[in-house]
C-alpha cells in the first residue's frame, strides 16, 4: 500500500455531467493519413529482430532486466550505432554520473563516446531537454529514478513512475522521439512499478540470463509493432554485449557425450535453437530427495519424472535429480519434455547415448506416456541436421510413446555406440 495525495478536485465536480468539449469528427481508417515511417536500425541485429525490425520512430520501449545484466550496455551500444548512422540521439542517465557512463562507453568503442549525455533525475528538466534537443532516439536510464517534484512519493513509487512514464510518453509521441525506457525488475522477476507502465508503452522487452553465465537473452513480452516470439542471444565481453548469431553451433560443440547429455531442438521464437540438456541422478540421503531444475520449469521436471516412473520404468524416488540447460539458457516449452526424459534415463543408467555425435530430441510428453507433436518439427530437425546431428528422436519419426523412445536408447547401446562407462556398467 502506498499513500497518494489527492489532487485538488476540478471545479464543478458534482455538477450535472454535461460535456463542454468540442465534438470530434470520426474518420474512416482508410482516410487516416499515415505516412510510411522507416524503422531506425540500432545496428545490433539481435536487438532489431526482437523489436520487429528496428525501433519505430516515436515509440516507447521498456527494457527490463535484473541488476547488472547489461541494460545500460545494450542501450548505450544501440545509441552509439544510431549516432554513427547520423541519427540524433540522447542518453539520459539518472542512475550513474556522466563520468561513470563514460567509463562504460570507453569499453564499447569510439562511436559510444560520441553519444551526448545528460545526467539528471528531475523530470521537468528532462522533458525540457527533450523539447529543446528533439533527438530521434533517447534512452532514459532508468524510469524508476526520474521524479516529479510536484508529486509526493519517493522516486520509483507507483505514483511517480506512472506520472514519469505518462509525461515522457506524451512528449515522445508528440515530438516523434523513440524512447527506450530502462526499467528495474523486482525480486520475483517482474517489472517494478505499476502494471499500467506495461500497458502504456509500445514494447516490453525483458533482458534475462544469469549473471554468472555469459549468455543473456532478450525477449519481447509485448510488441505493438512485431511478433513477441523473437529472442536475441548475447554474450557479455570486455568490449560490450556481443550478438551470438549462431548460438546452436556453440551449444552443440560444447555438448558433452557423457551419460545424461541430450541435445534439445528448441524453438526460441521463430528461430530453432539447439541446446544441451544435462541430467544427473545420484543416490540421496534426503527425504524427500532433491529436485533441481536450471533453465527448465520445475513443474515440468516433476511431470517428466512422474511419467518416467509410471510409463518408462524409471523410478527415481530415492535419488537426487538435477537437470540443467547448459549455457544458462532457459527453455520454457513443452517440446523439451522428451529431451529431459532421455537425459534422465541416460543419467540413471549411466549410459552415454551416443559416442560420436550427441543425440537430438524434442517432443511433448503426455500424462499417459504418449509423445505429442510440437510446432515447427521440420525446422527443428533441419537445424539438428545442419549441425551434423543425424540421430533425432521426435514424435513425427514413428515414435509415439515414451517407451519406444527409451527402447531406441537401449538399441543404440546394443549397436555399440556406447561410452566407456556403459561398457563397464554392463560388465559389472
Ligand atoms: N570489463 C568488463 N568485461 C566484461 N564484462 C564487463 C566488464 N565491465 C562490466 N562488465 C559486465 O557488465 C555488467 C554491467 O552492465 P550494465 O551496467 O550495462 O548493467 P545494467 O543492467 O545497466 O545494470 P544496473 O541495473 O546496475 O543499471 C556487469 O554485470 C558485468 O558483467
Ligand atoms: Mg544500468
Amino acid at each position: 500500500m502506498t499513500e497518494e495525495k489527492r489532487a485538488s478536485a476540478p471545479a464543478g465536480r458534482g455538477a450535472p455531467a454535461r460535456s463542454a468539449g468540442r465534438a470530434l469528427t470520426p474518420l474512416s481508417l482508410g482516410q487516416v493519413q499515415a505516412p510510411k515511417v522507416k524503422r531506425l536500425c540500432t545496428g545490433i541485429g539481435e536487438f532489431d529482430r526482437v523489436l520487429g525490425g528496428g525501433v519505430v520512430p516515436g515509440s516507447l520501449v521498456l527494457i527490463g532486466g535484473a541488476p547488472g545484466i547489461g541494460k545500460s550496455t545494450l542501450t548505450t551500444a544501440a545509441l552509439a550505432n544510431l549516432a554513427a548512422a547520423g541519427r540524433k540521439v540522447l542518453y539520459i542517465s539518472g542512475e550513474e554520473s556522466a563520468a561513470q557512463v563514460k567509463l562504460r562507453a570507453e569499453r564499447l568503442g569510439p562511436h559510444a563516446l560520441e553519444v551526448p549525455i545528460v545526467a539528471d533525475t528531475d523530470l521537468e528538466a528532462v522533458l525540457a531537454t527533450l523539447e529543446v534537443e528533439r533527438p530521434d532516439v533517447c534512452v532514459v536510464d532508468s524510469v524508476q529514478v526520474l521524479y516529479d517534484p510536484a508529486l509526493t512519493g519517493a522516486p520509483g513509487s507507483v505514483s511517480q513512475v506512472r506520472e514519469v512514464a505518462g509525461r515522457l510518453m506524451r512528449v515522445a509521441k508528440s515530438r516523434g522521439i523513440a524512447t527506450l525506457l530502462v526499467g528495474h525488475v523486482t525480486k520475483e522477476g517482474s517489472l517494478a512499478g505499476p502494471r499500467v507502465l506495461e500497458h502504456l508503452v509500445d514494447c516490453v522487452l525483458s533482458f534475462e540470463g544469469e549473471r554468472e553465465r555469459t549468455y543473456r537473452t532478450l525477449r519481447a513480452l509485448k510488441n505493438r509493432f512485431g511478433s513477441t516470439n523473437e529472442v536475441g542471444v548475447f554474450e557479455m565481453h570486455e568490449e560490450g554485449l556481443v550478438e551470438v548469431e549462431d548460438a546452436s553451433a556453440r551449444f552443440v560443440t560444447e555438448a558433452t557425450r557423457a551419460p545424461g547429455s541430450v541435445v534439445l531442438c528448441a524453438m526460441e521464437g521463430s528461430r530453432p535453437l539447439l541446446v544441451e540438456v544435462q541430467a544427473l541422478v545420484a543416490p540421496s540421503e534426503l527425504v524427500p530427495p532433491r529436485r533441481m531444475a536450471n533453465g527448465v520449469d520445475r513443474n515440468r521436471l516433476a511431470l517428466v519424472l512422474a511419467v518416467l516412473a509410471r510409463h518408462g520404468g524409471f523410478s527415481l524416488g530415492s535419488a537426487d535429480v538435477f537437470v540443467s540447460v547448459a549455457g544458462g539458457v532457459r527453455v520454457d516449452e513443452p517440446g523439451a519434455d522428451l529431451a529431459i526424459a532421455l537425459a534422465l534415463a541416460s543419467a540413471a543408467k549411466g549410459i552415454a547415448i551416443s559416442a560420436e555425435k550427441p543425440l537430438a530430441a524434442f517432443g511433448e510428453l503426455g500424462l499417459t506416456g504418449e509423445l505429442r507433436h510440437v510446432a515447427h518439427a521440420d525446422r527443428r530437425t533441419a537445424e539438428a541436421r545442419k549441425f551434423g546431428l543425424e540421430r533425432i528422436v521426435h514424435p513425427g519419426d514413428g515414435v509415439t510413446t515414451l517407451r519406444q523412445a527409451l527402447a531406441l536408447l537401449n538399441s543404440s547401446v546394443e549397436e555399440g555406440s556406447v561410452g566407456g562407462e556403459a561398457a563397464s556398467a554392463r560388465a559389472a
Side-chain angles (χ1 to χ4, degrees):
M1 305 291 279
T2 52
E3 188 187 29
E4 268 188 67
K5 201 168 173 187
R6 190 164 157 195
S8 55
R13 260 258 181 100
R18 166 165 295 182
S19 167
R22 180 175 52 87
L24 307 170
T25 323
L27 272 184
S28 71
L29 283 171
Q31 291 171 289
V32 174
Q33 300 287 329
K36 264 239 167 304
V37 286
K38 248 192 110 214
R39 292 184 185 237
L40 309 168
C41 282
T42 63
I44 306 172
E46 302 276 296
F47 190 22
D48 284 337
R49 207 158 46 78
V50 174
L51 284 168
V55 189
V56 174
S59 68
L60 219 62
V61 179
L62 178 64
I63 304 173
I69 194 86
K71 303 178 292 295
S72 307
T73 311
L74 181 69
T75 47
T76 313
L79 286 194
N81 291 343
L82 284 161
R87 299 287 174 181
K88 194 161 181 207
V89 299
L90 180 63
Y91 192 92
I92 298 161
S93 174
E95 286 189 349
E96 294 167 290
S97 67
Q100 285 171 317
V101 179
K102 180 181 174 187
L103 284 181
R104 174 181 307 110
E106 278 171 350
R107 268 173 63 204
L108 302 183
H111 289 315
L113 292 170
E114 280 156 33
V115 174
I117 178 173
V118 293
D120 205 333
T121 55
D122 182 350
L123 179 65
E124 298 295 343
V126 166
L127 292 177
T129 313
L130 285 179
E131 288 283 357
V132 173
E133 294 290 325
R134 303 267 180 98
D136 295 315
V137 186
C138 86
V139 168
V140 178
D141 191 359
S142 69
V143 64
Q144 272 91 2
V145 294
L146 289 197
Y147 78 100
D148 181 352
L151 289 180
T152 57
S157 65
V158 171
S159 52
Q160 286 281 3
V161 172
R162 191 172 53 202
E163 182 70 11
V164 165
R167 294 187 58 191
L168 278 171
M169 181 190 72
R170 284 195 285 280
V171 175
K173 298 266 155 163
S174 61
R175 303 294 179 214
I177 304 170
T179 309
L180 308 177
L181 300 175
V182 172
H184 294 169
V185 295
T186 60
K187 225 173 19 213
E188 292 78 40
S190 58
L191 277 156
R195 205 63 216 250
V196 66
L197 193 60
E198 285 173 51
H199 289 293
L200 194 86
V201 299
D202 298 308
C203 304
V204 180
L205 307 185
S206 156
F207 204 19
E208 298 161 6
E210 288 161 57
R211 220 165 351 153
E212 5 3 305
R213 310 278 181 82
T214 51
Y215 295 114
R216 280 124 211 254
T217 53
L218 183 72
R219 59 181 84 224
L221 305 180
K222 158 181 171 177
N223 193 348
R224 286 187 179 149
F225 314 113
S227 145
T228 51
N229 289 332
E230 300 295 347
V231 171
V233 183
F234 294 91
E235 208 175 358
M236 182 61 93
H237 281 280
E238 170 71 31
E239 64 277 14
L241 286 161
V242 178
E243 305 163 51
V244 181
E245 272 156 19
D246 229 340
S248 290
R250 297 272 190 102
F251 296 133
V252 169
T253 42
E254 283 169 11
T256 58
R257 285 114 184 85
S261 159
V262 171
V263 170
L264 162 68
C265 311
M267 289 301 290
E268 283 284 21
S270 62
R271 181 167 69 160
L273 179 68
L274 303 179
V275 291
E276 183 192 6
V277 176
Q278 295 188 336
L280 175 67
V281 174
S284 176
E285 267 115 53
L286 294 175
V287 180
R290 246 190 290 255
R291 263 76 186 114
M292 295 269 287
N294 220 335
V296 294
D297 183 39
R298 266 186 74 94
N299 292 329
R300 282 228 85 86
L301 173 60
L303 182 141
V304 171
L305 282 170
V307 174
L308 259 181
R310 192 71 189 79
H311 303 286
F314 281 90
S315 201
L316 304 176
S318 58
D320 285 339
V321 170
F322 304 86
V323 171
S324 114
V325 178
V329 178
R330 241 200 112 68
V331 277
D332 266 331
E333 58 152 349
D337 292 356
L338 180 60
I340 299 173
L342 291 178
L344 281 168
S346 151
K349 283 190 152 183
I351 294 173
I353 294 177
S354 184
E356 302 98 41
K357 287 277 180 191
L359 177 92
F362 63 89
E364 181 180 355
L365 280 187
L367 295 186
T368 56
E370 86 277 19
L371 282 187
R372 295 165 162 245
H373 289 273
V374 286
H376 306 300
D378 46 342
R379 302 181 58 189
R380 294 178 201 246
T381 43
E383 180 81 356
R385 296 239 159 79
K386 188 168 136 197
F387 293 100
L389 305 184
E390 291 305 330
R391 286 174 46 79
I392 310 163
V393 184
H394 64 100
D397 201 21
V399 187
T400 53
T401 61
L402 175 64
R403 224 170 250 287
Q404 288 174 341
L406 291 172
L408 278 179
L409 251 185
N410 291 336
S411 71
S412 77
V413 171
E414 255 100 75
E415 276 164 26
S417 56
V418 194
E421 286 111 302
S424 58
R426 270 191 300 166

